[in-house]
Amino acid sequence: MKPIDHPFFMRRAIELARRGWGDTHPNPLVGAVIVEKGVIVAEGFHDRAGEEHAEVNALRSLARKPMPGATLYVTLEPCCTHGRTPPCTEAIIAAGIAQVVVGATDPNPAHAGKGFALLRAAGIDVIRGVLATDCDDLNLIFNRWISTNQPLFAAKAAVTLDGKVATRTGDSQWITGEAARANVHHWRRYFPAIAVGAGTVLADNPRLTARIDGAEWCPWRLVFDGLLRSVLDKSMPRVYTDEFRERTIVVTTAHGGLGYVRKLNSLGVKTWVMPGQATTVRLADFRQRCASEGMAGVFFEGGSHLFGELLQARELDYLFSYHAPVLFADDKSKSILRGLRTESLANAVRLERVRHEVHGDDALIRGFVKYPEKLNIDEAAFNRRNLGE
């Protein structure tokens, strides 16, 4: 008898899960397929928070009782508790599914493994861990949110082979090619929010939307501007005036001035005035504000000052680093991840659970940031930084 190709069916479930890309927060991306006699007979995925889960959608699309011996493939352990929808374990048991093949285990410590136990107690054969790493990778944001109630802070950098982001004159468009830039928009669509510093807004006047296949989607757009220097009297940045301006939040301090805050609010732009006496925003306070607002993930896109603060404060959780086959070989060209004094490999910041991808001629290395026990900060170098990023 030919062995069952569990990874084949799980790959299809992963493809289905991605159809909810960016729409399910704070819920996970989940895909499911029902297989009878080696053939997929029904499919489902979780479309958005509050709506039916992937397993239930697959069972409903079948529109009949599964045949004896039917197998359900699902990318994430079926839920076993009541939320906005009933437990998926109940629906699976009631349907008469004989076998459930699962990719990733529920990351919630309070629930992990309980769905498996309930299914087995009902006499269902359970196989777990099929393409688990790929299934986990679907839910970078959800996995952190459900296990810690904290948002995932990720940053994106596009660099040359020698780690530079711009020439000595500031020329940077474009270091990476079209395929890599399209992948950035793919991740913009995934995250609930994009963040940049005031310098980036002033220098590049970005739109900060996700543009995919001719469609445009706007996440929350966060501008870090402790002194509100991006609030201009004449030509205001487009994120404060365009059709998505009500999706813009300026993260500032009490030093920014109430007059500028009122001006932004009158345009429809939101402001978060963070606590403290400093002229820059404490990132730990910002993280807690995101948590209280239910903002589960933030994609930081610049600039170097903001990235340096993220590293120094140990607040960067995940890094997307796009590497172009380009060399500047110029000591005066610009880097983006600076401000540390790394004197030994033991003090280096590393990535773990790394994923490697190729987009056109460019390579993407992405992974979770792992900080050394001791992080040496080069205060002098950081203070000399060009703050007009």
Side-chain angles (χ1 to χ4, degrees):
M1 185 175 178
K2 188 177 180 180
I4 300 173
D5 190 350
H6 293 313
F8 172 82
F9 295 115
M10 190 59 73
R11 288 188 192 98
R12 178 55 184 165
I14 291 172
E15 290 176 1
L16 291 165
R18 291 196 177 107
R19 292 186 181 179
W21 194 259
D23 287 330
T24 64
H25 304 303
N27 284 5
L29 292 165
V30 185
V33 298
I34 298 172
V35 175
E36 296 175 344
K37 296 182 179 181
V39 176
I40 295 176
V41 294
E43 300 179 334
F45 67 97
H46 183 46
D47 187 34
R48 61 184 66 249
E51 297 187 2
E52 297 292 356
H53 291 187
E55 302 94 316
V56 172
N57 282 331
L59 290 167
R60 285 185 175 176
S61 71
L62 185 60
R64 59 171 171 79
K65 292 285 285 186
M67 291 175 58
T71 298
L72 171 71
Y73 289 83
V74 60
T75 56
L76 183 66
E77 177 183 357
C79 65
C80 58
T81 56
H82 280 270
R84 282 187 275 187
T85 58
C88 291
T89 49
E90 290 183 2
I92 294 167
I93 293 168
I97 291 288
Q99 183 182 63
V100 176
V101 181
V102 179
T105 299
D106 189 336
N108 187 342
H111 299 157
K114 290 185 177 180
F116 299 137
L118 286 170
L119 294 173
R120 286 179 175 137
I124 297 174
D125 179 38
V126 176
I127 298 173
R128 55 193 291 188
V130 175
L131 300 184
T133 301
D134 292 335
C135 292
D136 267 330
D137 191 58
L138 286 168
N139 291 305
L140 300 175
I141 293 174
F142 169 78
N143 291 346
R144 180 175 180 88
W145 182 261
I146 199 66
S147 59
T148 67
N149 199 32
Q150 295 292 313
L152 180 80
F153 283 179
K156 180 271 295 184
V159 301
T160 64
L161 291 178
D162 47 346
K164 304 300 183 179
V165 297
T167 67
R168 63 171 63 199
T169 63
D171 186 16
S172 63
Q173 294 185 344
W174 298 99
I175 287 176
T176 53
E178 288 186 9
R181 297 199 301 275
N183 187 251
V184 170
H185 280 267
H186 172 77
W187 286 105
R188 282 185 177 186
R189 182 67 181 87
Y190 178 73
F191 277 83
I194 298 173
V196 295
T200 297
V201 168
L202 291 171
D204 299 337
N205 197 19
R207 190 162 172 82
L208 299 179
T209 58
R211 299 179 290 280
I212 302 173
D213 297 330
E216 187 173 28
W217 179 84
C218 188
W220 286 109
R221 303 180 298 185
L222 303 166
V223 178
F224 279 75
D225 190 355
L227 294 174
L228 293 182
R229 60 194 178 100
S230 63
V231 184
L232 307 175
D233 291 327
K234 293 183 179 180
S235 180
M236 292 280 276
R238 68 176 72 185
V239 291
Y240 301 157
T241 59
D242 67 14
E243 70 272 31
F244 300 120
R245 60 188 176 277
E246 293 184 354
R247 299 283 293 173
T248 299
I249 301 172
V250 180
V251 186
T252 188
T253 68
H255 296 275
L258 289 177
Y260 285 137
V261 169
R262 284 193 293 267
K263 184 172 183 177
L264 287 168
N265 294 160
S266 70
L267 293 171
V269 176
K270 297 174 177 60
T271 50
W272 289 358
V273 181
M274 305 304 290
Q277 299 302 312
T279 58
T280 56
V281 173
R282 255 187 101 246
L283 288 164
D285 292 335
F286 171 70
R287 185 184 288 276
Q288 292 307 313
R289 179 65 182 265
C290 289
S292 67
E293 298 282 345
M295 190 176 287
V298 180
F299 193 46
F300 289 82
E301 290 207 27
S304 60
H305 186 61
L306 184 55
F307 279 13
E309 289 181 341
L310 281 165
L311 277 179
Q312 289 186 65
R314 295 177 178 256
E315 293 289 352
L316 182 60
D317 305 313
Y318 200 88
L319 178 65
F320 294 81
S321 187
Y322 295 85
H323 295 256
V326 177
L327 287 167
F328 288 167
D330 182 352
D331 290 342
K332 293 187 178 180
S333 54
K334 300 180 180 181
S335 301
I336 196 165
L337 295 171
R338 295 180 294 169
L340 301 183
R341 184 169 178 168
T342 306
E343 297 177 343
S344 68
L345 283 173
N347 291 125
V349 177
R350 297 179 179 271
L351 298 187
E352 57 185 6
R353 286 179 276 169
V354 174
R355 311 278 291 190
H356 298 269
E357 301 172 15
V358 175
H359 299 282
D361 290 333
D362 306 314
L364 168 62
I365 300 173
R366 60 182 177 91
F368 289 88
V369 179
K370 182 180 181 181
Y371 293 95
E373 184 175 335
K374 183 179 181 182
L375 194 66
N376 293 325
I377 299 172
D378 189 342
E379 296 283 358
F382 187 71
N383 290 335
R384 288 196 304 270
R385 219 180 225 194
N386 176 16
L387 301 184
E389 60 228 28

